[in-house]
Amino acid sequence: MSAPAESLEYEIPATIPCSDPATGEHLGEVPALTPEQVSERIARARVAQESWRHTPFRERRKVLRHLLDMLLEHADALCEEICRDAGKTLDNAMLGEIWPIAEKLRWTIAHGEQHLRSETVSSGLLQHKRAKVEYHPLGVVGVITPWNFPLQNILGPTIPALFAGNAVIIKVSEWTSWSAEPFQRFLDRCLADCGYSPDLIQIITGYGDTGAALVSGGVDKIVFTGSMRNGKRVLEQSAKTLTPVILELGGKDPMIVCDDADLDQAAHAAVSAAFIASGQMCLAAERVLVFDAVYDAFVAKVQDITLRLRQDAPLAGKLVDVGAMTMPAQVEIVEQLVQDALAKGASLKAGGKRTKRKPSKHFFEPTILADVTDEMRIMNEETFGPVMAITRVHDEDEAVRVANASEYGLSSSVFSKDPVRARRIADQIVAGSTCINDWALMYMVQDLPFGGVKGSGFGRLNGREGLRACTNVKAVIEDRLPLHRAIKLFPGRRYDYDVTREGVRLLYAKGAGKKFEALVELGKALRKRALS
Ligand code: NAD
């Protein structure tokens, strides 16, 4: 199953077969929507948005509060759906999906209005006017998601878009489409309980062409989360209709461990950053850069933790640290990158292969590669799997140089007990975010914008920036006083040009002498104009 948007010759299947990646069990089929069906969904969303856009913030908060209550009430069932569809552990579903969604809901309920309320700003020279920045809904926001966090990827962009007064259509990944139906039911119930149309939030299923139909279908903005390759396609497609896009693409995040780092703290962060969700996270620390002096001790520590990890099917009732990978092609990529690194001299400290004895072929052992160097593919290509690649660096300059030697720039982390040094290093890393003495935590601080630079995309989700990205930021000028004096620029008069020139000089010339000179000239020009 590959994204059929690539070829016009390809006959697009009408359904998507879904299976549990951890057990291989066939779950059923879901429809793959045609472009016509996507258009029809957009039309329905537009109708639903017409009344929603006029709702007061109080009403929108009520809906989000109900969603939060329902999320807490149904968290266990939702986690089970997530795990069955993505193969991840229940712990990760709760920690990495339910919790950030709950926090985003809390933050939006508490602070959303303050960031979307219209603001009066200085009207500069125009003191008789009032100037405002207003945040108007866009209309229908299209969201296209990958498979790694099935619920969080849906609700992360949906919460701000909805709160900003938009309807939302989410095209979920073909690899985690089985959960679309229960998630839609969950959202329908929330909206119905609050008296709103289910068309306000619609989850649709399909392959790449369904996503492409959403991009070109007349939505007012696209939030695309996925690979760089498809991000470029979305950008090309959106250029045809000038549909604005936010691109949240891949990453190759560096984690720098300095010689004065707390090694326990750094080692545990590195293990989480490599193996949570089987490493299928855009924020995974894909390159761990460790200073010479602590290199061996660090490798020994991460090896010790990793060799104790338990891997199995997450819903079989056992205690599991690392689950399955979601997409078969990704397992192959991981396998190739590991083999390439080993062939080029990396040393294997844990794992290194698929786990054949597990119920499906989607298990790759939690793997540690040490002595990874520039010429290995794993230093440059996104792994998106349970592999920690460790590289030795000698000093700060080398750490920064290696950290920035990537086409991606999503996030980064630095471990050092010296805050000045940590900041010095952090400030030189070209990325959308840096965590000092931690990893990925910026995602839990909803006041912080989230997004990347370079090949990791552009635009921001989360925070004030993410909320406002779901709006038309509109500039409005209105009367402060009811003066109603016409500004008569036409028909032009002689000496208009001189009057304007001296007026500009009077306003912006430096020093009293020059201003006085301009004032005298302005008087002359005005007089000439009056007499002409
Ligand atoms: P992908 O690009 O293969 O697919 C993402 C989505 O795009 C899917 O729903 C797919 O059907 C759709 N799609 C494919 N072709 C399309 C087209 N031409 N037009 C419109 N939509 C199209 O990505 P994936 O394999 O599902 O996810 C893994 C990637 O996502 C990794 O690179 C990962 O780093 C990235 N990711 C980034 C973030 C972030 O926030 N930056 C978060 C999660 C994942």
Side-chain angles (χ1 to χ4, degrees):
M1 216 169 26
S2 65
E6 280 173 54
S7 161
L8 293 173
E9 304 302 314
Y10 188 95
E11 195 175 327
I12 299 154
T15 57
I16 302 172
C18 302
S19 56
D20 177 338
T23 61
E25 180 198 350
H26 178 68
L27 300 169
E29 311 245 330
V30 298
L33 265 59
T34 62
E36 293 71 31
Q37 288 169 318
V38 174
S39 294
E40 188 257 329
R41 295 301 199 95
I42 296 172
R44 274 163 47 186
R46 218 166 266 299
V47 173
Q49 194 260 343
E50 267 312 309
S51 52
W52 176 249
R53 68 177 297 140
H54 298 296
T55 51
F57 286 118
R58 149 176 49 83
E59 194 59 23
R60 297 181 200 169
R61 270 195 295 273
K62 196 179 86 183
V63 175
L64 293 197
R65 182 64 247 182
H66 189 51
L67 186 56
L68 180 49
D69 293 341
M70 283 182 63
L71 184 80
L72 300 179
E73 190 186 335
H74 299 283
D76 291 339
L78 292 167
C79 283
E80 203 163 305
E81 297 292 354
I82 291 168
C83 296
R84 183 166 296 109
D85 220 7
K88 64 170 66 178
T89 66
L90 281 164
D91 276 355
N92 178 243
M94 185 58 82
L95 185 77
E97 307 222 27
I98 303 295
W99 194 354
I101 295 167
E103 177 57 13
K104 189 162 206 164
L105 284 164
R106 181 205 66 78
W107 182 88
T108 311
I109 292 164
H111 305 289
E113 180 174 356
Q114 126 202 8
H115 297 306
L116 294 183
R117 216 185 278 140
S118 51
E119 298 166 292
T120 302
V121 294
S122 162
S123 54
L125 294 177
L126 310 181
Q127 286 302 302
H128 61 302
K129 294 284 183 184
R130 197 179 292 119
K132 284 188 166 174
V133 183
E134 296 183 351
Y135 302 96
H136 291 242
L138 288 167
V140 180
V141 174
V143 174
I144 300 175
T145 73
W147 37 264
N148 59 343
F149 285 76
L151 186 60
Q152 143 75 19
N153 286 337
I154 292 174
L155 287 179
T158 295
I159 293 165
L162 189 72
F163 191 75
N166 304 290
V168 192
I169 299 184
I170 308 106
K171 203 302 268 178
V172 291
S173 168
E174 53 272 46
W175 294 100
T176 45
S177 286
W178 186 244
S179 49
E181 203 261 333
F183 292 165
Q184 182 73 68
R185 258 189 283 123
F186 170 77
L187 292 167
D188 286 355
R189 217 190 96 196
C190 173
L191 290 169
D193 287 352
C194 298
Y196 291 100
S197 161
D199 291 343
L200 261 186
I201 311 175
Q202 300 177 50
I203 303 174
I204 61 173
T205 46
Y207 299 95
D209 67 298
T210 307
L214 188 59
V215 176
S216 58
V219 294
D220 300 284
K221 187 150 195 170
I222 283 286
V223 181
F224 175 84
T225 307
S227 60
M228 190 200 285
R229 194 175 66 130
N230 286 329
K232 287 179 181 173
R233 288 191 178 130
V234 165
L235 203 53
E236 261 176 49
Q237 183 93 16
S238 67
K240 293 178 191 153
T241 46
L242 283 183
T243 304
V245 290
I246 292 177
L247 294 181
E248 292 289 347
L249 309 178
K252 193 76 198 163
D253 292 356
M255 175 181 279
I256 297 177
V257 181
C258 296
D259 46 13
D260 62 349
D262 182 309
L263 281 198
D264 222 35
Q265 188 184 26
H268 278 279
V271 170
S272 303
F275 304 130
I276 284 183
S278 286
Q280 302 166 113
M281 290 168 297
C282 53
L283 287 175
E286 296 229 348
R287 295 173 297 149
V288 183
L289 314 178
V290 186
F291 279 42
D292 243 347
V294 291
Y295 187 87
D296 293 337
F298 177 85
V299 171
K301 265 190 192 290
V302 289
Q303 185 183 33
D304 176 53
I305 305 167
T306 305
L307 290 175
R308 286 184 278 132
L309 300 183
R310 294 146 295 193
Q311 187 175 38
D312 218 319
L315 296 177
K318 297 182 199 157
L319 194 53
V320 176
D321 299 301
V322 183
M325 293 185 64
T326 309
M327 189 172 79
Q330 198 66 39
V331 189
E332 273 159 37
I333 291 170
V334 172
E335 201 162 44
Q336 285 167 17
L337 293 180
V338 168
Q339 281 168 8
D340 172 80
L342 291 174
K344 291 175 182 160
S347 32
L348 188 64
K349 301 291 178 184
K353 57 184 189 313
R354 288 178 196 237
T355 344
K356 297 234 167 53
R357 61 199 155 78
K358 297 298 174 209
S360 83
K361 291 181 186 153
H362 290 234
F363 289 87
F364 198 92
E365 292 172 342
T367 295
I368 298 180
L369 296 175
D371 307 323
V372 171
T373 52
D374 286 358
E375 60 277 7
M376 299 174 190
R377 284 175 57 199
I378 203 157
M379 271 302 266
N380 304 301
E381 298 172 33
E382 194 180 29
T383 316
F384 224 59
V387 182
M388 186 190 303
I390 310 175
T391 297
R392 191 187 289 269
V393 289
H394 300 95
D395 53 30
E396 285 180 34
D397 287 348
E398 188 183 3
V400 169
R401 183 183 57 70
V402 177
N404 286 336
S406 167
E407 60 181 329
Y408 293 103
L410 188 56
S411 190
S412 52
S413 50
V414 181
F415 286 79
S416 164
K417 285 191 207 138
D418 175 351
V420 176
R421 179 190 208 189
R423 269 314 299 256
R424 184 170 60 234
I425 296 174
D427 288 351
Q428 297 175 75
I429 300 177
V430 184
S433 53
T434 303
C435 250
I436 292 176
N437 290 326
D438 242 309
W439 156 80
L441 271 193
M442 81 292 295
Y443 209 81
M444 287 304 281
V445 181
Q446 287 293 326
D447 265 301
L448 289 175
F450 177 78
V453 294
K454 301 199 283 185
S456 294
F458 46 77
R460 293 293 180 262
L461 299 176
N462 294 1
R464 182 180 60 187
E465 291 78 2
L467 261 178
R468 292 180 177 175
C470 300
T471 65
N472 166 18
V473 183
K474 192 171 178 186
V476 177
I477 293 270
E478 62 189 4
D479 291 327
R480 206 187 289 276
L481 299 168
L483 292 177
H484 304 299
R485 294 273 307 270
I487 298 174
K488 295 177 183 162
L489 294 179
F490 291 107
R493 286 171 292 170
R494 287 195 70 191
Y495 303 109
D496 275 355
Y497 176 82
D498 304 66
V499 168
T500 308
R501 184 188 59 215
E502 297 313 325
V504 169
R505 282 212 308 140
L506 175 62
L507 284 169
Y508 304 108
K510 195 174 174 191
K514 287 196 172 140
K515 280 191 187 291
F516 182 73
E517 210 175 273
L519 184 63
V520 171
E521 292 304 317
L522 177 62
K524 286 185 197 165
L526 282 168
R527 190 155 174 278
K528 279 196 223 165
R529 188 169 73 175
L531 295 175
S532 68

